[in-house]
Structures are given as C-alpha cells and as structure tokens.
Amino acid sequence: MRVNRDKYIDKRHLVGERFTWLSKRHARTETQSPRHGGESVAEVLRAHGVKFVFTLVGGHISPILVACEKLGIRIVDTRHEATAVFAADAVARLSGTVGVAAVTAGPGLTNTVTAVKNAQMAESPLLLLGGAAATLLQGRGALQDIDQMSLFKPLCKFCASVRSVKDIAITVRKALAIAQSGTPGPVFIEFPIDTLYPFHLVSKEFGVKNPPKGIMGKVVTWYLHNHLKNLFAGAWETRDVSPLPVHIPQATDNQVQKCIELVSRAKKPVILLGSQATLPPTPTDDIRAALESLGIPCFLGGMSRGMLGRNSPLHIRQNRSDALKEADLVLLAGTVCDFRLSYGRVLNRRSRIIAVNRDKTQLLKNSDMFWKPTVAIQGDAGSFLLRLSKGLKGHTCPEDWPQSLKAGDVTKEKANRRKADEKTDRHLNPLSVLHRVDELMADDSIIVADGGDFVGSAAYIMRPRGPLRWLDPGAFGTLGVGGGFALGAKLCRPESEVWIIYGDGSLGYSVAEFDTFTRHKTPVIALVGNDACWSQIAREQVPILGSNVACGLAFTDYHIVADGYGGKGTLIGREDEDKLDGIIKEAQKETRQGRATLLNVLIGKTNFREGSISV
C-alpha cells in the first residue's frame, strides 16, 4: 500500500508531534532491530501464566500470534471471532486466570461485541486484543478503520489504544490487573498495526522515498521521520512484565460478626449461591467444605451448579419460591435480584436478608422497590462464606429444615421422572433422553448449556458432578456460546468429558466449530435436541398471538454436517430408543479416541416447563 504523505499533515499534528518529540528526545530508537511489538505482548502474557490465545487470524495481529507461539503459548484459531471470545471466557471461568482473545481490526472486532457483552454480564476476566489501522491513518479512510474505542468503552472495564511500542508492556499488565480486580470483567487493548511490526517494515511503508520539493516537502519528510522515531523510541528497553497487584473487596470484621449473629439465631436459613462465589482467590473445594460445615440448604445457580456434588442433602433443586417464602434468613452469596429472582419479589419481607456481592450496583439491584437487605456487603462471596463458617464452628442449621426441603425435592423429581416416561406424539421424549445422558456421563464431565427449551429442561434434570462443571452464558441469555465454551473447557480439562447440550436453533451459531474441534484435537460430545422449532419462543407466541411465524425449523441432518467437518455424527429417532444407551456409550468411546461427536436426537413435544417465559 503506497500513500500520499501530504494528506497526513495538518497543523494540529505538527504541534502535537513537536511536543511529543521534545518529551522523547532522550529515548533511543533502534532502527536496525528486527524485534516487533508482538513480542512485548507475548512476554507479558507468558509472565501472567496465559496458556492459550484464541483467534481468527488477520494481518493486523499476526505479530502477536507468531510471538506467542514462539514463547509456548498455544494459538487456537476458530471459525468465528465470537467463538474465540467465548472460548477465552470459558478458560477464565475454569482456570482462574484471564482468558485472552486476539482478533483483527474492524469487522473482526465488531463480530466479538455480543461475546464481550456476555463476558461483562457474566463477570468473566477477559482480555481482548484488537488490531487497528496505523496511527497515521486512523480517521483517514484506511481499510477496516472505525472508532473501535467508542464501541468497546461501554462493554469493558478498561480500554486503551497503544500509541508507542514502549507502552505495550505496561498497558497489557495494567489491563490484566483491572480485568481481575473488583468485579471481574472484559478489558480491551487496540494495537495500531504500526505498533506491532518491526521498524524496517513500518519505515518502508510510511517513510518518504521521493519527498516533494520545497518547504512543504521538507515539513512532510520531517514529520513522518519524527513520527516513526517517536513510535519506536525506547521500544526495547528492559521493562517489568510481572503481574500487578489485584484488588478484591472483602467484608469487614464487623460485617462478618453481625452476619454470624444473624445466622446463629435463624431456624430456617437458606443460601442462594451465584456464579460470583466461584471466583478466585478462594478454592471451590474450600467453599464446598464451608457450606457443608454450615449445614444450610442451598440453591445453586450459574457457575455454582455442582458446588455440592451430584447428590448432596444440602443441595435443593426444586420449589425455590416456596422455600424462600418460608425462610427466616436468606443469604444472597453472589446472587442478584434481577429477573431470575423476580426482581426480589420472591423474597419474604419478614426474612432477614444478607447480600454479598463485589459489585455495588448488583448488590442493591431493585432494593429500592421489592426487597431490603438487612446487611449489604460489597465484598467477595467466596471468602465471606469461609469466614462465616469459621465464626459459626460448632453451630449447624436445625436438621429438620433441610430435610423437609429435600423431601419436597424428591417428590417433585419423581413427578418429573414420570413425565420422562410418557410417550410423545412422535420422536423421542426429550426428558427421557436427558435422564439417560445424565445417568451415563462420566463423573469428570463438564456440561455446556447452549439453547432455550431443551437446555431449560436439562437444567432441571442434569446434575453437574462437582464445582466448575457447568457452563452457561449467564444473565445475558446468549445463544451461540456452545462451540467456544466447549473448546475452552476441553483445553483446560483435556481429561474430562465435555458435553454441549444444544437446542437445534442454537446449534446453528457454532456447528462450524466442529472443524475447530477436529483441527485442534479437542473431542467433545454435542447432544442436539432437534424438534425443528424455536420452542422456547413458540410456547408463548402461538397461544398468545395465534401464529408460529418464524418459529419453525426443519429436522435438519446436523449429524451429516458434523461428519463433513471431520467429526462423527449420529441420527437418533424413536426406532433407536432401545439402543440409546449403547449409542451414548459409543459416542463416549469416539471422544476418548480423539473424535468429536454429534448426537442429532429427534425429539417430540411435552408440557414440561409449561408457562415458562423467555422475556
């Protein structure tokens, strides 16, 4: 690409450049160095323990990818930029480190917006590295040049555009610390292409070969030469790449003591555990031990599903609204009073309510309308539970309370099981399929939830075996997370069986990632509930509005699509009902041998979850 350098210049640039030159004139520019800015990025990532960078390749970011690979960081390329971010999100949740994705400028970045917003709402620490037009060309109509900073500022805790190579290391270090501090979330760094490539290439592209004659020619030549010198000034001086301190808010001793007193007096306490309770620094096994010591019945949501194992007497799965009406104390440990708790309306106004959340806005959400906390603590839920358990050592919840709630659980789940035994008008009963899979999946399985109606049923039936073994999008309710979440999960836990529970609608977003599973040797199992419909929407739209317009799909041969991408697909219909266990075991065998599998299960309609809404 050759350009007319005269068009770069205006008076504001000249004045700004002069002051920049004065401030940097002491810094050395090594014009012969073959090094490039991508190396600085890679060095910081390695120092922070980053093992994977997810990407869809583009010329703007190639130096980052090449440098990371040379330093032993695995580059995992996907078929869509959103998948790269979803995979980084999953790594962040499962590893306790920051997930990293790198995508090219313009449309590469705009393709990530939904995934970044999902990470923001799920409170996942995630670093997005984005390419950008050269510093000299921004705002001048360069290829894929848009105002990327304005796009990501509402979505990220921190946004920065690198303006010189020497600033790369400190900017990346700062971004990684911010992503993990306070309420975790995504951060974004924009790298103009001329901050990533070596000096000799940048100089060749933007240097002056045939300068115009006269005073303007001299000004143009001076300006471009000075700009390049400033861009690389001090670039390769030794810099600290180690992690910066991470700040995590904690409850005060007085707050913990007040809560100890409240819990000790409660006869019918209940804990509602949210995803935030699984965040570092507290190990999930320690949290589990604390909950078991307290003996308080728990409802688990989001990433905290599985916290108490598969069959804990303290884990209550059913009749939550009834339990909350009866409870005299409710502990919201990282749980938010949003639509999932009917904005706080399900809480008994006579109950004592302890709310713990790192984020002040989430801590008090809707407390001005439907509920009031007795104690509101802006702090880490996991470490709070440990301190609460330690302060209540020797005290335990009255046994008859969790036993009565568990009895209700057993009754409700027996009724659900009877529904699974019913015959549907055609194809297989989805509840029966889910029960069979739940019974056969390995103890180390990780479940990825990506769908509407079928996944909603799975949430009632499937039991994660342990902490950090359930991945769903979170409060944003995003479809399309399946491929990326499963990819990240399998890379973090290669020994684990990873199941994606797909609706047939949501599968369309990421079925192409079967190519990624094949290329990167990450064998997962996809269970597709294929009812040829966006059923979560149809269950409301049809009775209310009398039309199923746009809700219908087809009984598509998704298993053949998986075959085409190098996986193993299997079609399962009613005629296969007696062979279902054998088919599931064969799929498990295929994945152990290194091949991703897809079970395309034709399912019928049931009235399970009738009345549930999607808005």
Side-chain angles (χ1 to χ4, degrees), residues 89-387:
D89 185 339
V91 167
R93 300 187 195 197
L94 294 178
S95 71
T97 59
V98 178
V100 181
V103 300
T104 199
L109 277 162
T110 58
N111 276 347
T112 70
V113 167
T114 297
V116 173
K117 182 63 183 181
N118 192 82
Q120 181 193 44
M121 295 189 66
E123 299 174 348
S124 294
L126 184 148
L127 171 61
L128 178 63
L129 308 174
T135 53
L136 281 170
L137 293 176
Q138 290 184 349
R140 296 180 180 277
L143 175 67
Q144 299 180 334
D145 180 31
I146 60 171
D147 182 1
Q148 298 172 163
M149 299 297 287
S150 294
L151 191 64
F152 284 94
K153 281 179 180 176
L155 308 178
C156 296
K157 297 178 66 181
F158 170 79
C159 291
S161 180
V162 172
R163 309 320 287 178
S164 66
V165 180
K166 76 176 184 66
D167 293 334
I168 289 176
I170 187 57
T171 304
V172 178
R173 293 173 68 212
K174 182 178 179 181
L176 288 165
I178 291 173
Q180 300 171 84
S181 293
T183 305
V187 292
F188 169 60
I189 304 176
E190 172 187 87
F191 292 89
I193 192 169
D194 50 352
T195 66
L196 291 177
Y197 279 84
F199 181 91
H200 70 276
L201 289 180
V202 177
S203 178
K204 181 180 178 181
E205 182 64 36
F206 299 108
V208 180
K209 283 189 175 181
N210 300 302
K213 295 181 180 180
I215 186 65
M216 194 58 193
K218 292 181 180 179
V219 170
V220 169
T221 301
W222 173 84
Y223 174 75
L224 293 175
H225 177 77
N226 193 51
H227 181 85
L228 289 172
K229 290 283 189 177
N230 287 334
L231 195 65
F232 284 86
W236 314 124
E237 295 173 358
T238 302
R239 285 185 175 79
D240 188 0
V241 295
S242 63
L244 293 168
V246 173
H247 171 69
I248 298 172
Q250 300 288 351
T252 66
D253 290 341
N254 287 340
Q255 288 173 326
V256 173
Q257 183 57 40
K258 185 172 183 180
C259 294
I260 289 170
E261 293 168 5
L262 288 171
V263 174
S264 67
R265 293 196 294 266
K267 303 299 182 185
K268 295 182 177 181
V270 166
I271 296 175
L272 271 60
L273 209 66
S275 296
Q276 216 181 79
T278 66
L279 292 172
T282 308
T284 52
D285 288 342
D286 291 354
I287 296 173
R288 177 176 179 169
L291 293 172
E292 290 172 344
S293 173
L294 289 168
I296 298 173
C298 299
F299 291 90
L300 309 177
M303 286 293 295
S304 74
R305 290 174 184 266
M307 179 67 76
L308 292 167
R310 190 180 182 189
N311 294 303
S312 169
L314 297 178
H315 181 197
I316 313 301
R317 294 164 52 89
Q318 313 288 344
N319 307 312
R320 185 178 68 179
S321 295
D322 293 338
L324 291 175
K325 288 177 183 176
E326 199 173 346
D328 59 1
L329 182 139
V330 178
L331 170 53
L332 303 175
T335 298
V336 182
C337 288
D338 56 15
F339 68 94
R340 293 167 291 184
L341 278 181
S342 190
Y343 309 99
R345 287 177 293 191
V346 295
L347 299 175
N348 187 338
R349 288 185 176 272
R350 293 187 298 275
S351 300
R352 301 281 189 171
I353 299 173
I354 300 169
V356 187
N357 200 293
R358 293 194 189 189
D359 186 279
K360 186 176 181 179
T361 301
Q362 301 287 56
L363 173 68
L364 300 173
K365 190 174 286 293
N366 295 308
S367 63
D368 58 335
M369 295 182 66
F370 300 118
W371 69 286
K372 295 289 183 187
T374 308
V375 182
I377 300 170
Q378 185 178 358
D380 176 57
S383 54
F384 169 80
L385 287 169
L386 262 61
R387 294 165 68 187

Side-chain angles (χ1 to χ4, degrees), residues 54-62 65 75-78 81 102-104:
F54 299 93
T55 190
L56 198 158
V57 70
H60 289 86
I61 58 167
S62 290
L65 306 181
I75 303 300
V76 184
D77 59 305
T78 64
E81 289 90 350
V103 300
T104 199

Side-chain angles (χ1 to χ4, degrees), residues 398-444:
E399 291 185 359
D400 58 336
W401 170 235
Q403 288 173 356
S404 68
L405 294 179
K406 199 65 177 180
D409 246 25
V410 172
T411 301
K412 187 72 173 285
E413 290 183 358
K414 283 182 178 178
N416 291 345
R417 191 64 202 233
R418 287 194 294 271
K419 280 194 175 294
D421 294 334
E422 297 173 359
K423 287 287 185 183
T424 51
D425 290 341
R426 59 175 180 162
H427 302 310
L428 292 170
N429 185 320
L431 308 180
S432 176
V433 173
L434 291 166
H435 274 292
R436 304 274 278 279
V437 170
D438 184 60
E439 290 163 5
L440 291 171
M441 67 168 47
D443 286 340
D444 65 352

Side-chain angles (χ1 to χ4, degrees), residues 517-529:
F517 301 147
T518 299
R519 289 184 297 107
H520 287 281
K521 297 178 174 55
T522 48
V524 303
I525 308 174
L527 177 72
V528 184

